[in-house]
Amino acid sequence: MLYLASQSPRRRELLGRLGLDFGVLDLDIPEQRQPGEHADDYVRRVAREKAGAGLLKVVATPGAVVLGADTEVVLDDEVFGKPRDAEDAAGMLRRLSGRTHQVVSVVSLVTAGREAQAVSVSEVTFAPLAEAHIAAYVATGEPFGKAGAYAIQGGGEVFISHLSGSYSGVMGLPLHETARLLREFGIDCPRVPVAAAAHG
């Protein structure tokens, strides 16, 4: 049985696109970067901690496979998490304006006897943003609960002048890497071509 260790409706939607049945585990894992911790290592750790905490909840279920994921926006080695408030959201968007940042998305898969990870790193370039555009976007409420204060699948998409990498990874769950990882654990995704999953 596959479980998704995430409260994110976006991850639920994305995993559902693979045509899989899965349970959902609601967890509250602290997301706090440690002093001196590299941004990529931080995202890897949080994804692993989510998966591990999820496995503890279903350890009595034979054959349980738990998927944990974390996605963060990184600029100049600073991790942009979810904004605290409107002022924080506007500040993040100002810093992203006219620049290229990375979106690091990590998928962790764990069972009682095995664990593995897949990493997706995308480069996202924002067009220069006017203060009026930032204010209007923050006023929609969409930036809240989103790493970097924007949603690529929503109104934030209009800010992006260039994307190199995984659209679904920026959204919160890189589907190509996820499908490949699931196949390694013996879980076939009905909607994914076998060749693409096996060799991508």
Side-chain angles (χ1 to χ4, degrees), residues 163-188:
L163 166 66
S164 175
S166 168
Y167 181 95
S168 59
V170 177
M171 192 172 162
L173 187 71
L175 290 184
H176 178 77
E177 289 80 0
T178 299
R180 186 174 61 200
L181 201 58
L182 287 166
R183 278 189 60 82
E184 291 177 10
F185 279 67
I187 300 174
D188 288 326

Side-chain angles (χ1 to χ4, degrees), residues 6 11 60 77 86 93 96 135 172 192:
S6 176
R11 290 202 180 101
D77 195 47
L93 293 168
L96 297 175
V192 179

Side-chain angles (χ1 to χ4, degrees), residues 129-177:
L129 306 179
E131 278 297 317
H133 293 145
I134 292 173
Y137 183 57
V138 172
T140 68
E142 188 176 89
F144 304 110
K146 314 291 192 310
Y150 74 92
I152 192 173
Q153 74 278 14
E157 186 173 18
V158 73
F159 300 154
I160 297 171
S161 60
H162 185 76
L163 166 66
S164 175
S166 168
Y167 181 95
S168 59
V170 177
M171 192 172 162
L173 187 71
L175 290 184
H176 178 77
E177 289 80 0

